[in-house]
Amino acid sequence: MEPETFPEELADALVGVQRLIRRRLRRDMPDPRLRGAEVELLRLVVDRPGIGISDAAKELYLAGNSVSTLVNQLSRQGYLVRETDPADRRAARLLPTPAAEARLSEWRRRRADLVRRQVARLDAADREALHAAIPALRELAVTLREEAEES
């Protein structure tokens, strides 16, 4: 791998792995099928119950109206509840339903199982390299987030 092609190759590899994981999981998950943005919003609301729509939009780097559309879809499907914020009656707080928590828990379990099986198929050196790369990948995520927040 040449230094000048490293960033593109890394980005392609990360996107490719994520896309394949999503496709494999989506295929085996029960209906209704959830799109990537819907899963991201559900994950955020489960991790931060009570988050507002505008804060969710900022966190996900989406327009507020896009998040509102996702909230409406997920509410109709029984995954989110929208409550009026007692501190600001004009704002809504998002809460996951038990169905959302169960769905995400199942998604995470299946994702971990899938990755565990595939990593086990690699040789020891590749498994070690992936394990060693985790801190650097997390730091890369932090710097990407920081740069996005600055702009």
Side-chain angles (χ1 to χ4, degrees):
M1 187 176 324
E2 297 299 318
E4 61 272 359
T5 63
F6 173 71
E8 187 173 350
E9 290 181 51
L10 175 62
D12 287 346
L14 292 173
V15 168
V17 167
Q18 179 63 21
R19 181 178 51 246
L20 289 167
I21 288 171
R22 234 186 359 254
R23 284 184 182 164
R24 292 277 306 273
L25 291 176
R26 198 177 288 145
R27 179 180 71 198
D28 298 329
M29 287 296 289
D31 285 335
R33 289 195 170 199
L34 300 178
R35 296 184 341 251
E38 291 170 322
V39 172
E40 286 183 42
L41 178 58
L42 275 183
R43 289 168 76 182
L44 179 61
V45 173
V46 166
D47 291 343
R48 294 178 47 195
I51 190 169
I53 291 175
S54 63
D55 287 338
K58 286 177 195 166
E59 186 74 23
L60 298 173
Y61 301 100
L62 295 171
N65 62 343
S66 296
V67 172
S68 290
T69 299
L70 293 171
V71 168
N72 290 336
Q73 292 166 344
L74 291 168
S75 295
R76 278 193 301 274
Q77 294 171 347
Y79 291 123
L80 287 183
V81 173
R82 186 188 333 223
E83 270 186 3
T84 302
D85 187 337
D88 179 357
R89 308 288 299 163
R90 297 167 297 166
R93 297 175 345 141
L94 304 175
L95 299 168
T97 65
E101 291 174 345
R103 174 100 184 213
L104 261 188
S105 177
E106 180 66 7
W107 176 272
R108 287 175 172 151
R109 185 192 65 74
R110 287 178 188 222
R111 181 182 64 183
D113 289 346
L114 172 63
V115 173
R116 185 179 298 108
R117 283 192 315 271
Q118 299 311 311
V119 168
R121 296 176 65 184
L122 301 175
D123 65 34
D126 285 343
R127 286 193 306 270
E128 189 70 28
L130 288 173
H131 188 264
I134 291 172
L137 291 170
R138 285 187 176 138
E139 187 59 29
L140 177 60
V142 166
T143 62
L144 286 166
R145 179 171 299 282
E146 288 170 350
E147 183 179 276
E149 289 171 357
E150 292 169 2
S151 53

Coordinates of all heavy atoms in Angstrom, one line a residue, residues 64-136:
G64 N -33.0 18.7 10.4 CA -34.0 18.5 11.4 C -35.3 17.9 10.8 O -35.9 17.0 11.4
N65 N -35.6 18.3 9.5 CA -36.8 17.7 8.9 C -36.6 16.3 8.5 O -37.6 15.5 8.5 CB -37.3 18.6 7.7 CG -36.3 18.7 6.6 OD1 -35.1 18.4 6.8 ND2 -36.8 19.1 5.5
S66 N -35.4 15.9 8.2 CA -35.1 14.5 7.9 C -35.3 13.6 9.1 O -35.8 12.5 9.1 CB -33.7 14.3 7.4 OG -33.5 15.0 6.2
V67 N -34.8 14.1 10.3 CA -35.0 13.4 11.5 C -36.4 13.3 11.9 O -36.9 12.3 12.4 CB -34.1 14.0 12.7 CG1 -34.4 13.4 14.0 CG2 -32.6 13.8 12.3
S68 N -37.2 14.4 11.7 CA -38.6 14.4 12.0 C -39.3 13.3 11.2 O -40.2 12.6 11.7 CB -39.2 15.7 11.7 OG -38.8 16.7 12.6
T69 N -38.9 13.2 9.9 CA -39.5 12.1 9.0 C -39.2 10.8 9.6 O -40.0 9.9 9.6 CB -39.0 12.3 7.6 OG1 -39.4 13.6 7.1 CG2 -39.5 11.2 6.7
L70 N -37.9 10.6 10.0 CA -37.5 9.3 10.5 C -38.3 9.0 11.8 O -38.7 7.8 12.1 CB -36.0 9.3 10.8 CG -35.1 9.3 9.6 CD1 -33.6 9.5 10.1 CD2 -35.2 8.0 8.8
V71 N -38.5 10.0 12.7 CA -39.2 9.8 13.9 C -40.6 9.4 13.6 O -41.2 8.5 14.3 CB -39.2 11.1 14.8 CG1 -40.2 11.1 15.9 CG2 -37.8 11.4 15.3
N72 N -41.3 10.0 12.6 CA -42.6 9.7 12.3 C -42.7 8.2 11.8 O -43.6 7.5 12.2 CB -43.2 10.6 11.2 CG -43.4 12.0 11.7 OD1 -43.6 12.2 12.9 ND2 -43.4 13.0 10.8
Q73 N -41.8 7.8 11.0 CA -41.8 6.4 10.5 C -41.6 5.4 11.6 O -42.3 4.4 11.7 CB -40.7 6.3 9.4 CG -40.9 7.0 8.2 CD -39.7 7.1 7.3 OE1 -38.6 6.9 7.7 NE2 -39.9 7.5 6.0
L74 N -40.6 5.7 12.5 CA -40.3 4.8 13.6 C -41.4 4.8 14.6 O -41.6 3.8 15.3 CB -38.9 5.1 14.2 CG -37.7 4.9 13.3 CD1 -36.4 5.5 13.8 CD2 -37.5 3.4 13.1
S75 N -42.1 5.9 14.8 CA -43.2 6.0 15.7 C -44.3 5.1 15.2 O -45.0 4.3 16.0 CB -43.7 7.4 15.9 OG -42.7 8.2 16.5
R76 N -44.6 5.2 13.9 CA -45.7 4.4 13.3 C -45.4 2.9 13.4 O -46.3 2.1 13.5 CB -45.9 4.8 11.8 CG -46.8 6.0 11.6 CD -47.2 6.1 10.2 NE -46.1 6.2 9.2 CZ -45.4 7.4 8.9 NH1 -45.8 8.5 9.4 NH2 -44.4 7.4 8.1
Q77 N -44.1 2.6 13.4 CA -43.7 1.2 13.4 C -43.6 0.7 14.9 O -43.4 -0.5 15.1 CB -42.4 0.9 12.7 CG -42.4 1.2 11.3 CD -41.1 1.2 10.6 OE1 -40.0 1.2 11.3 NE2 -41.0 1.1 9.3
G78 N -43.8 1.6 15.8 CA -43.8 1.2 17.2 C -42.5 1.1 17.9 O -42.3 0.5 19.0
Y79 N -41.5 1.8 17.3 CA -40.2 1.8 17.9 C -39.8 3.1 18.7 O -38.9 3.1 19.5 CB -39.1 1.7 16.8 CG -39.2 0.3 16.2 CD1 -39.4 0.1 14.8 CD2 -39.0 -0.9 16.9 CE1 -39.4 -1.1 14.2 CE2 -39.1 -2.1 16.4 CZ -39.2 -2.2 15.0 OH -39.3 -3.5 14.4
L80 N -40.5 4.2 18.5 CA -40.2 5.4 19.2 C -41.5 6.0 19.7 O -42.6 5.9 19.1 CB -39.5 6.5 18.3 CG -38.1 6.3 17.8 CD1 -37.6 7.4 17.0 CD2 -37.2 6.1 19.0
V81 N -41.3 6.7 20.9 CA -42.4 7.5 21.4 C -41.9 8.9 21.5 O -40.8 9.2 21.9 CB -42.7 7.0 22.9 CG1 -43.7 7.9 23.5 CG2 -43.3 5.6 22.8
R82 N -42.7 9.9 21.1 CA -42.4 11.3 21.1 C -43.2 11.9 22.3 O -44.4 11.8 22.3 CB -42.8 11.9 19.8 CG -42.4 13.4 19.7 CD -42.9 14.0 18.5 NE -43.2 13.1 17.4 CZ -43.0 13.4 16.1 NH1 -42.4 14.5 15.8 NH2 -43.3 12.5 15.2
E83 N -42.5 12.4 23.3 CA -43.1 13.1 24.4 C -42.8 14.6 24.4 O -41.8 15.0 23.9 CB -42.4 12.6 25.7 CG -43.0 11.4 26.4 CD -42.4 11.1 27.7 OE1 -41.5 11.8 28.2 OE2 -42.8 10.0 28.3
T84 N -43.8 15.3 24.9 CA -43.5 16.8 25.0 C -42.5 17.0 26.1 O -42.6 16.4 27.2 CB -44.8 17.5 25.4 OG1 -45.8 17.2 24.4 CG2 -44.6 19.0 25.5
D85 N -41.5 17.9 25.8 CA -40.5 18.2 26.8 C -41.1 19.1 27.9 O -41.6 20.2 27.5 CB -39.3 18.9 26.1 CG -38.1 19.2 27.0 OD1 -38.3 19.2 28.2 OD2 -37.0 19.3 26.4
P86 N -41.1 18.7 29.1 CA -41.7 19.5 30.2 C -41.0 20.9 30.3 O -41.7 21.9 30.7 CB -41.6 18.7 31.4 CG -40.7 17.6 31.1 CD -40.5 17.5 29.6
A87 N -39.7 21.0 30.0 CA -39.0 22.3 30.1 C -39.4 23.2 28.9 O -39.2 24.4 29.1 CB -37.5 22.0 30.1
D88 N -39.8 22.7 27.8 CA -40.1 23.5 26.6 C -41.3 22.8 25.9 O -41.0 21.8 25.1 CB -38.9 23.7 25.7 CG -39.2 24.5 24.5 OD1 -40.3 24.9 24.2 OD2 -38.2 24.7 23.7
R89 N -42.5 23.2 26.1 CA -43.7 22.6 25.6 C -43.7 22.5 24.0 O -44.4 21.7 23.5 CB -44.9 23.3 26.0 CG -45.1 23.5 27.5 CD -45.3 22.3 28.3 NE -46.6 21.6 28.0 CZ -46.9 20.4 28.4 NH1 -46.0 19.7 29.0 NH2 -48.0 19.9 28.0
R90 N -42.8 23.3 23.4 CA -42.7 23.2 21.9 C -41.8 22.1 21.4 O -41.9 21.8 20.2 CB -42.2 24.6 21.4 CG -43.1 25.8 21.7 CD -42.4 27.0 21.4 NE -41.3 27.1 22.3 CZ -40.3 28.0 22.2 NH1 -40.3 28.8 21.2 NH2 -39.3 28.0 23.1
A91 N -41.0 21.6 22.3 CA -40.0 20.6 21.9 C -40.5 19.2 22.3 O -41.3 19.0 23.1 CB -38.7 20.9 22.6
A92 N -39.9 18.2 21.6 CA -40.2 16.8 21.8 C -39.0 16.1 22.3 O -37.9 16.4 21.9 CB -40.8 16.2 20.6
R93 N -39.2 15.1 23.2 CA -38.2 14.2 23.6 C -38.5 12.9 23.0 O -39.6 12.5 23.0 CB -38.2 14.1 25.2 CG -37.8 15.4 25.8 CD -37.9 15.4 27.3 NE -38.6 14.3 27.9 CZ -38.2 13.6 29.0 NH1 -37.2 14.0 29.7 NH2 -38.9 12.6 29.5
L94 N -37.4 12.2 22.6 CA -37.6 10.9 22.0 C -37.3 9.8 22.9 O -36.2 9.8 23.6 CB -36.8 10.8 20.7 CG -37.0 11.9 19.7 CD1 -36.0 11.8 18.6 CD2 -38.4 11.8 19.2
L95 N -38.1 8.8 23.0 CA -37.9 7.6 23.9 C -38.1 6.3 23.1 O -39.0 6.2 22.3 CB -38.9 7.7 25.1 CG -38.8 8.9 26.0 CD1 -40.0 9.0 26.9 CD2 -37.5 8.9 26.8
P96 N -37.2 5.4 23.4 CA -37.4 4.1 22.7 C -38.5 3.3 23.4 O -38.7 3.4 24.6 CB -36.0 3.4 22.9 CG -35.5 4.0 24.2 CD -36.1 5.4 24.3
T97 N -39.1 2.5 22.6 CA -40.1 1.5 23.1 C -39.4 0.2 23.5 O -38.2 0.0 23.0 CB -41.2 1.2 22.1 OG1 -40.6 0.5 21.0 CG2 -41.9 2.5 21.6
P98 N -40.0 -0.7 24.2 CA -39.4 -2.0 24.5 C -39.1 -2.7 23.2 O -38.1 -3.4 23.1 CB -40.4 -2.7 25.3 CG -41.1 -1.6 26.0 CD -41.2 -0.5 25.0
A99 N -40.0 -2.5 22.2 CA -39.7 -3.2 20.9 C -38.4 -2.7 20.2 O -37.7 -3.4 19.6 CB -40.9 -2.9 19.9
A100 N -38.2 -1.4 20.3 CA -36.9 -0.8 19.8 C -35.7 -1.4 20.5 O -34.7 -1.7 19.9 CB -36.9 0.7 19.9
E101 N -35.8 -1.4 21.8 CA -34.7 -2.0 22.6 C -34.4 -3.4 22.3 O -33.3 -3.8 22.1 CB -34.9 -1.7 24.1 CG -34.9 -0.3 24.5 CD -35.2 0.0 25.9 OE1 -35.8 -0.8 26.6 OE2 -34.9 1.2 26.3
A102 N -35.5 -4.2 22.1 CA -35.3 -5.6 21.7 C -34.7 -5.7 20.4 O -33.8 -6.6 20.1 CB -36.7 -6.3 21.8
R103 N -35.2 -4.9 19.4 CA -34.7 -5.0 18.0 C -33.2 -4.6 18.0 O -32.5 -5.3 17.3 CB -35.5 -4.0 17.2 CG -35.1 -3.9 15.8 CD -35.9 -4.7 14.8 NE -35.4 -4.6 13.5 CZ -36.2 -4.7 12.4 NH1 -37.4 -4.9 12.6 NH2 -35.6 -4.7 11.2
L104 N -32.8 -3.6 18.7 CA -31.4 -3.2 18.7 C -30.6 -4.2 19.4 O -29.5 -4.5 18.9 CB -31.3 -1.8 19.3 CG -31.2 -0.6 18.4 CD1 -30.8 0.6 19.2 CD2 -30.2 -0.8 17.3
S105 N -31.1 -4.8 20.4 CA -30.3 -5.8 21.2 C -30.1 -7.0 20.2 O -28.9 -7.5 20.2 CB -31.1 -6.2 22.4 OG -30.4 -7.2 23.1
E106 N -31.1 -7.4 19.5 CA -31.0 -8.5 18.6 C -30.0 -8.1 17.4 O -29.2 -8.9 17.0 CB -32.3 -8.9 18.0 CG -32.3 -10.0 17.0 CD -31.9 -11.4 17.6 OE1 -31.8 -11.5 18.9 OE2 -31.7 -12.3 16.9
W107 N -30.1 -6.9 16.9 CA -29.2 -6.4 15.9 C -27.7 -6.5 16.3 O -26.9 -7.0 15.6 CB -29.6 -5.0 15.5 CG -28.7 -4.3 14.5 CD1 -27.6 -3.6 14.7 CD2 -28.9 -4.3 13.1 NE1 -27.0 -3.1 13.5 CE2 -27.8 -3.6 12.5 CE3 -29.8 -4.8 12.2 CZ2 -27.7 -3.3 11.2 CZ3 -29.7 -4.6 10.8 CH2 -28.6 -3.9 10.3
R108 N -27.5 -6.0 17.5 CA -26.1 -6.0 18.1 C -25.6 -7.4 18.3 O -24.5 -7.7 18.0 CB -26.1 -5.2 19.4 CG -26.2 -3.7 19.1 CD -26.3 -2.9 20.4 NE -26.2 -1.5 20.1 CZ -26.7 -0.5 20.8 NH1 -27.4 -0.8 21.9 NH2 -26.6 0.7 20.5
R109 N -26.5 -8.3 18.8 CA -26.1 -9.7 19.0 C -25.7 -10.3 17.7 O -24.7 -11.0 17.6 CB -27.2 -10.5 19.7 CG -26.8 -11.9 20.1 CD -28.0 -12.7 20.5 NE -28.9 -12.9 19.5 CZ -28.7 -13.8 18.4 NH1 -27.6 -14.4 18.3 NH2 -29.7 -13.9 17.5
R110 N -26.6 -10.2 16.7 CA -26.3 -10.8 15.4 C -25.1 -10.2 14.8 O -24.3 -10.9 14.1 CB -27.5 -10.6 14.5 CG -28.7 -11.5 14.9 CD -29.8 -11.2 13.9 NE -31.0 -11.9 14.4 CZ -31.8 -12.5 13.6 NH1 -31.6 -12.6 12.3 NH2 -32.9 -13.1 14.0
R111 N -24.9 -8.9 14.9 CA -23.7 -8.2 14.3 C -22.4 -8.8 15.0 O -21.4 -9.1 14.3 CB -23.8 -6.7 14.5 CG -22.6 -6.0 13.9 CD -22.6 -4.5 14.2 NE -22.6 -4.2 15.6 CZ -22.7 -3.0 16.1 NH1 -22.9 -2.0 15.3 NH2 -22.6 -2.9 17.4
A112 N -22.4 -8.9 16.3 CA -21.2 -9.4 17.0 C -21.0 -10.9 16.6 O -19.8 -11.2 16.4 CB -21.4 -9.3 18.5
D113 N -22.0 -11.7 16.5 CA -21.9 -13.1 16.1 C -21.3 -13.1 14.7 O -20.4 -13.9 14.4 CB -23.2 -13.8 16.1 CG -23.7 -14.1 17.5 OD1 -22.9 -14.0 18.5 OD2 -24.9 -14.5 17.6
L114 N -21.8 -12.3 13.7 CA -21.3 -12.3 12.4 C -19.8 -11.9 12.3 O -19.0 -12.6 11.7 CB -22.1 -11.3 11.5 CG -21.6 -11.1 10.1 CD1 -21.7 -12.4 9.3 CD2 -22.4 -10.0 9.5
V115 N -19.5 -10.8 13.0 CA -18.1 -10.4 12.9 C -17.2 -11.4 13.6 O -16.1 -11.7 13.2 CB -17.9 -9.0 13.6 CG1 -16.5 -8.6 13.7 CG2 -18.7 -8.0 12.7
R116 N -17.6 -12.0 14.8 CA -16.9 -13.0 15.5 C -16.5 -14.2 14.6 O -15.4 -14.6 14.5 CB -17.6 -13.5 16.7 CG -16.9 -14.4 17.6 CD -17.7 -14.8 18.8 NE -18.0 -13.7 19.7 CZ -19.2 -13.1 19.8 NH1 -20.2 -13.6 19.2 NH2 -19.4 -12.1 20.6
R117 N -17.6 -14.7 13.8 CA -17.4 -15.8 12.9 C -16.4 -15.5 11.8 O -15.5 -16.3 11.5 CB -18.7 -16.2 12.3 CG -19.6 -17.0 13.2 CD -20.8 -17.6 12.5 NE -21.4 -16.8 11.5 CZ -22.4 -16.0 11.8 NH1 -22.9 -15.9 13.0 NH2 -23.0 -15.2 10.8
Q118 N -16.5 -14.3 11.3 CA -15.6 -13.9 10.1 C -14.2 -13.6 10.6 O -13.3 -14.0 9.9 CB -16.2 -12.7 9.4 CG -17.6 -13.0 8.8 CD -17.7 -14.2 8.0 OE1 -16.8 -14.5 7.1 NE2 -18.7 -15.1 8.2
V119 N -14.0 -13.0 11.7 CA -12.7 -12.7 12.3 C -12.0 -14.1 12.6 O -10.8 -14.2 12.4 CB -12.7 -11.8 13.5 CG1 -11.4 -11.7 14.2 CG2 -13.2 -10.4 13.0
A120 N -12.8 -15.0 13.1 CA -12.2 -16.3 13.4 C -11.6 -17.0 12.2 O -10.7 -17.9 12.3 CB -13.3 -17.2 14.1
R121 N -12.1 -16.7 11.1 CA -11.7 -17.3 9.8 C -10.3 -16.8 9.3 O -9.7 -17.3 8.5 CB -12.7 -17.1 8.7 CG -14.0 -17.9 9.0 CD -15.1 -17.6 8.0 NE -14.7 -18.2 6.7 CZ -15.3 -18.0 5.6 NH1 -16.5 -17.4 5.6 NH2 -14.9 -18.6 4.5
L122 N -9.9 -15.6 9.9 CA -8.7 -15.0 9.5 C -7.5 -15.7 10.3 O -7.7 -16.3 11.3 CB -8.7 -13.5 9.9 CG -9.8 -12.7 9.3 CD1 -9.7 -11.2 9.8 CD2 -9.6 -12.6 7.8
D123 N -6.3 -15.5 9.7 CA -5.2 -16.1 10.4 C -4.9 -15.2 11.6 O -5.3 -14.1 11.8 CB -4.0 -16.3 9.5 CG -3.4 -15.0 8.9 OD1 -3.4 -14.0 9.6 OD2 -2.9 -15.0 7.8
A124 N -4.0 -15.7 12.5 CA -3.7 -15.1 13.8 C -3.1 -13.7 13.6 O -3.4 -12.7 14.3 CB -2.8 -15.9 14.6
A125 N -2.3 -13.5 12.6 CA -1.6 -12.2 12.3 C -2.7 -11.2 11.9 O -2.6 -10.0 12.4 CB -0.5 -12.4 11.2
D126 N -3.6 -11.5 11.1 CA -4.7 -10.6 10.7 C -5.6 -10.3 11.8 O -6.0 -9.1 12.0 CB -5.5 -11.2 9.5 CG -4.7 -11.1 8.2 OD1 -3.7 -10.4 8.1 OD2 -5.1 -11.8 7.2
R127 N -5.9 -11.2 12.6 CA -6.7 -11.0 13.8 C -6.0 -10.0 14.8 O -6.6 -9.1 15.3 CB -7.1 -12.3 14.6 CG -8.1 -13.1 13.9 CD -8.7 -14.2 14.8 NE -7.6 -15.0 15.4 CZ -7.2 -16.2 14.8 NH1 -7.6 -16.6 13.7 NH2 -6.2 -16.9 15.5
E128 N -4.7 -10.2 15.0 CA -3.9 -9.3 15.8 C -3.9 -7.9 15.2 O -4.0 -6.9 15.9 CB -2.5 -9.9 16.0 CG -1.7 -9.2 17.0 CD -2.1 -9.5 18.4 OE1 -2.7 -10.5 18.7 OE2 -1.9 -8.6 19.2
A129 N -3.7 -7.8 13.9 CA -3.6 -6.5 13.3 C -4.9 -5.8 13.4 O -4.9 -4.5 13.7 CB -3.3 -6.7 11.8
L130 N -6.0 -6.4 13.3 CA -7.3 -5.8 13.5 C -7.5 -5.3 14.9 O -8.0 -4.2 15.2 CB -8.5 -6.7 13.0 CG -8.6 -7.0 11.6 CD1 -9.7 -8.0 11.3 CD2 -9.0 -5.7 10.8
H131 N -7.2 -6.2 15.8 CA -7.3 -5.8 17.2 C -6.4 -4.6 17.6 O -6.8 -3.7 18.3 CB -6.9 -7.0 18.1 CG -7.2 -6.8 19.6 ND1 -6.2 -6.4 20.4 CD2 -8.3 -6.9 20.3 CE1 -6.8 -6.2 21.6 NE2 -8.0 -6.6 21.6
A132 N -5.2 -4.6 17.0 CA -4.3 -3.5 17.3 C -4.8 -2.2 16.7 O -4.4 -1.1 17.1 CB -2.9 -3.8 16.8
A133 N -5.6 -2.3 15.6 CA -6.0 -1.1 14.9 C -7.2 -0.4 15.6 O -7.5 0.8 15.3 CB -6.4 -1.4 13.5
I134 N -7.9 -1.1 16.5 CA -9.1 -0.5 17.1 C -8.9 0.8 17.8 O -9.6 1.8 17.5 CB -9.7 -1.5 18.1 CG1 -10.3 -2.7 17.2 CG2 -10.8 -0.9 18.9 CD1 -10.8 -3.9 18.1
P135 N -7.8 1.0 18.6 CA -7.6 2.3 19.2 C -7.4 3.4 18.1 O -7.9 4.6 18.3 CB -6.4 2.2 20.1 CG -6.3 0.7 20.4 CD -6.9 0.0 19.1
A136 N -6.7 3.1 17.1 CA -6.4 4.1 16.0 C -7.7 4.5 15.3 O -8.0 5.6 15.0 CB -5.4 3.6 15.1

